[in-house]
Amino acid sequence: MLDRLEQQSPDALLALIKMHASDDRTDKIDLGVGVYKTGQGATPVFSAIKGAEEQLLREQDSKSYLGPEGDMGFVHALMPYIFGDNPTRGGRIEGMQTPGGTGAVRLAVSLAQKAGAKRIHMGVPSWPNHAQILADLGLELVPFNHAAPDGTADMDALRAAIDAAAASDGDVVLLHGCCHNPTGVDYTNEQWDEIAALFADKGVMPIIDLAYHGLGRGLGEDVYGLRAVVQAVPETLVAYSCDKNFGLYRDRVGALYVMAKDVLGVGLILSNANSLARSNWSMPPDHGAAAVRLALRDSGLNSDWQDELESMRTRLRQMRERLAEAGTAGSVDLTPLARQNGMFATLPVTKEQVVQMREKHAVYMAGSGRINVAGLTMSNIDKFIEALTDITG
């Protein structure tokens, strides 16, 4: 039977990782892999997580099953940072742990599908796995343009997408909460206010993917839009990832939050979410979530975490501002990067130019033009700007 399977295309990013690893040039630059890096090129374990893991080692007395909902202490500890001072909205919001943000997105989309959704409207370009999840579930992706040529969000395209979703019963709109991957182009607070009002007025349910919380403008600032939407609409689904803002990439730590129209609806929604989770992964891995729970609840560890997150955010901002200071590199205008957020930006270069960057200058980036800003440092950023000038000049 297995001979009937068709060969799948290899993941382009994994191939890029292998090419970078085999390149013996000492000045090579890796802007492809989507992980945070320090100014020294390391992706360290947070000191707050190290402290929490030490506490777990001393105090954890069982590794018995927790159930499909996972560590609810972890789920609840995150909620004030996401939803604010009234995190449950009077009991209308509840959550469950998932295997990473990917698991949260898949569960959110599966839940919407079970509730009758057949089409998901989504701004493009987007995180590639969004489209793969929708395709695997058999849901239709209805794309709309996310970013305008001037490096700001294309609000006209989003308005049209919400109108189209409203005209088709059961359509859902998927948005990035902050630090858009791969463009770095976020909605302004004023635009989020309009978006929230549009969702409420048109009766369209949003799914919000919040994968880079705290890496844009700040923990509170990065959830302005999500909170505006939650305040305006009767129901929504929120996928959350701890991979980036706790450095827990390989531990797969995430959460799905649901908001129902009333308290009674929460139990109904979660019964379906738990059933879907049970048939997909049974129950999520515990270790990383337990470490996050301890890091958030212990005042010292919490302070360490927020300090580490601020240092990451500051470094990303410094790299963006340094690129913007260069003005243009050949034909590429770098100035919009200063007003964009997060780890990623997408440059207007061709696939052929990306190959030239790699072959001539040992600069590794995705064929789409996406770069990981965290791959830049004060010691290599000038080389990157010079390389970009060379191939686009």
Side-chain angles (χ1 to χ4, degrees), residues 104-159:
V105 170
R106 185 179 180 95
L107 187 55
V109 173
S110 297
L111 197 54
Q113 182 182 42
K114 194 170 184 180
K118 294 181 174 60
R119 306 199 310 170
I120 306 289
H121 298 255
M122 183 180 75
V124 294
S126 191
W127 176 52
N129 223 15
H130 279 148
Q132 291 177 203
I133 289 170
L134 299 184
D136 191 50
L137 290 170
L139 282 159
E140 180 183 352
L141 166 60
V142 184
F144 62 90
N145 190 55
H146 172 68
D150 65 355
T152 62
D154 189 338
M155 279 296 293
D156 288 339
L158 177 56
R159 294 184 190 104

Side-chain angles (χ1 to χ4, degrees), residues 319-372:
M319 293 300 100
R320 287 185 171 277
E321 291 175 354
R322 174 66 188 88
L323 289 170
E325 285 171 6
T328 58
S331 63
V332 178
D333 181 10
L334 296 173
T335 57
L337 273 70
R339 62 175 180 266
Q340 297 166 4
N341 297 309
M343 287 173 49
F344 302 113
T346 299
L347 304 179
V349 293
T350 66
K351 289 184 178 180
E352 291 75 20
Q353 289 170 329
V354 169
V355 172
Q356 290 179 47
M357 290 281 282
R358 183 170 67 243
E359 293 180 348
K360 292 181 63 177
H361 300 284
V363 175
Y364 287 77
M365 52 192 287
S368 63
R370 188 198 82 165
I371 63 169
N372 178 7

